[in-house]
Amino acid sequence: MSGPKETGGECLTILLAGPRGFCAGVDRAILIVERALEKFGAPVYVRHEIVHNRFVVESLEAKGAVFVDELDQCPTDRPVVFSAHGVPKSVPEAAEAREMIYVDATCPLVSKVHRESEHHHRKGCHIVLIGHAGHPEVVGTMGQLPDGAMSLVETVADVYALDVPDDKPLAFATQTTLSVDETRDILAALRERFPDIRGPKKEDICYATTNRQAAVKEIAQDSDMVMVIGAPNSSNSRRLVDVAREYGCPKAQLIQRAKDIDWDDFDGVKTLGITAGASAPEVLVDEVISACRDHFDQVTVREVVTAEENVEFKLPRLLTA
C-alpha cells in the first residue's frame, strides 16, 4: 500500500520519553499484591485501586485480587492490601480492630511525607499541604493528623486566602505527584506570605514525577503532538499533559489505551511524543507504537533519555518472612 494507511501522512517520527511508566513505588505495590496472592491464596482484597491504571487493576483481578472501596466490604478472614497512595490512620486501626491481616503498599516516598507531617505536628506546627482535594494521597496524608491540624492549598490564590492559626508555627508538605513548576509558584507564595514557614529536609515531589516531567519538557518542544498514556484519575499523568502543553506542544492529550486514539487528530502530525504516567505499564506504550505502525507506512522511534533510574523499595516483612 502506498502512502499512509489512514492518517494522511506517510512517515511518523516518535520521540519516546525516558524515563516513563512504572516507578519503584508502583512496582513495589503491584508486587505486594502478587506476593500476597502467592502467600495467602486467592482472594486477596485491595482497598481502592492499588495504582491508578485499569489495565493493572484488571490484570490483578484475573489473578484473584478483589478491589473494594472500603474496608467493611472485606471479609475478616482474608488479607487486605492498602493502595500505594496511602491511607488515613483510621484504616489500619479499623483493620486491627477487626483482627484482619493487612499489608500496607503505601509508596515509601508518600510515607516520608506522612512522617514529616507527624514530626511537624509534634513540634506544635500547623501543616499546610499542597495538593489536590479528594486525591487518595491527599486524603491519606491529611488522615495522619487530627481534624483541623492541616490546611490544603491547591493554587497560589488559595495561599492568599488561607486562614491559619495565629498561635502556631507553620510547616508545609506536598503531594508527591504534582507539577514541579506549579508547586514552585505555590511555595514561593507561601514563603512570601509566611517567611518563617518550615519545610521538609528534602522536597516531597518524588524522583519519578520530577524525572518524567523533565523528559516531557525535552520532547514537547520538538513534537507536533504528545500522547501521555495513563488513567484520567492519575494525578502524575494529568500533570504530564499540562507540562507538555506549557513547554511547547499545545496538542497534548491523555489516553488510556491505543484504542482511545483518534486518528483524525493526526492531521499535520509528523513528530509524535510519547510518554507514560508512573502507573502505566510499558506494554501499553508498545501497544500505542504498534498502532502507529498500523496507521503509517514508516515509523521511526527515537528514545530521548534525560535520566536513569535504579531505585528499588523493599517489600513489607510480612511477605518476605
Side-chain angles (χ1 to χ4, degrees):
M1 180 185 294
S2 62
K5 298 174 184 176
E6 289 184 29
T7 59
E10 285 186 16
C11 303
L12 181 69
T13 297
I14 292 176
L15 301 181
L16 195 54
R20 64 184 175 276
F22 279 0
C23 62
V26 167
D27 270 330
R28 174 179 180 269
I30 294 169
L31 189 55
I32 283 173
V33 178
E34 292 174 339
R35 288 287 177 86
L37 285 163
E38 290 173 8
K39 180 166 184 172
F40 299 108
V44 166
Y45 286 76
V46 185
R47 183 185 179 275
H48 293 177
E49 291 186 340
I50 187 68
V51 296
H52 283 156
N53 188 275
R54 285 306 306 167
F55 181 88
V56 171
V57 167
E58 289 168 4
S59 297
L60 292 172
E61 284 176 334
K63 296 177 181 179
V66 178
F67 291 85
V68 297
D69 292 327
E70 296 301 339
L71 200 63
D72 59 12
Q73 296 171 266
C74 306
T76 56
D77 61 346
R78 297 305 304 163
V80 60
V81 178
F82 303 147
S83 82
H85 308 101
V87 295
K89 278 188 173 180
S90 59
V91 175
E93 288 171 357
E96 288 173 5
R98 297 179 69 195
E99 299 183 344
M100 299 176 71
I101 296 173
Y102 68 87
V103 188
D104 189 355
T106 300
C107 172
L109 298 179
V110 175
S111 296
K112 179 181 81 72
V113 177
H114 293 179
R115 290 193 300 270
E116 288 168 349
S117 299
E118 289 176 312
H119 169 77
H120 286 303
H121 178 64
R122 287 194 299 270
K123 295 290 186 180
C125 293
H126 183 81
I127 316 299
V128 179
L129 177 64
I130 304 169
H132 293 296
H135 188 278
E137 183 184 331
V138 167
V139 173
T141 298
M142 296 190 77
Q144 302 305 304
L145 303 181
D147 288 348
M150 190 176 289
S151 298
L152 180 66
V153 296
E154 297 188 71
T155 65
V156 169
D158 289 344
V159 172
Y160 292 109
L162 194 58
D163 184 16
V164 294
D166 294 329
D167 58 343
K168 290 179 178 286
L170 294 181
F172 71 85
T174 308
Q175 181 182 335
T176 62
T177 55
L178 299 180
S179 160
V180 175
D181 297 329
E182 179 185 26
T183 306
R184 187 180 298 121
D185 293 340
I186 296 172
L187 281 178
L190 276 173
R191 290 188 169 116
E192 179 186 359
R193 186 175 173 200
F194 308 108
D196 295 328
I197 194 168
R198 305 172 189 179
K201 293 179 180 178
K202 185 180 179 183
E203 70 169 22
D204 290 335
I205 294 179
C206 85
Y207 78 94
T209 298
T210 301
N211 288 348
R212 279 148 191 73
Q213 290 180 18
V216 164
K217 291 175 184 178
E218 189 68 23
I219 65 170
Q221 57 194 340
D222 297 320
S223 299
D224 301 312
M225 176 192 289
V226 170
M227 280 188 175
V228 178
I229 302 166
N233 59 340
S234 165
S235 176
N236 76 85
S237 298
R238 295 200 310 271
R239 298 293 80 74
L240 289 173
V241 176
D242 296 338
V243 170
R245 289 172 179 164
E246 291 164 12
Y247 279 80
C249 187
K251 203 171 185 178
Q253 58 184 270
L254 181 68
I255 63 167
Q256 296 194 72
R257 301 286 300 267
K259 63 182 176 59
D260 301 323
I261 297 173
D262 184 350
W263 298 103
D264 292 338
D265 289 343
F266 275 73
D267 187 30
V269 173
K270 297 186 180 302
T271 302
L272 173 67
I274 295 178
T275 189
S279 49
E282 187 68 8
V283 64
L284 300 186
V285 176
D286 295 339
E287 182 184 89
V288 169
I289 293 173
S290 177
C292 289
R293 295 192 191 280
D294 289 341
H295 283 78
F296 287 85
D297 281 346
Q298 183 177 339
V299 174
T300 303
V301 179
R302 180 160 63 89
E303 192 161 15
V304 180
V305 179
T306 57
E308 299 287 345
E309 294 178 349
N310 54 10
V311 178
E312 290 185 15
F313 294 132
K314 293 180 180 178
L315 295 179
R317 193 171 303 169
L318 175 64
L319 298 179
T320 58

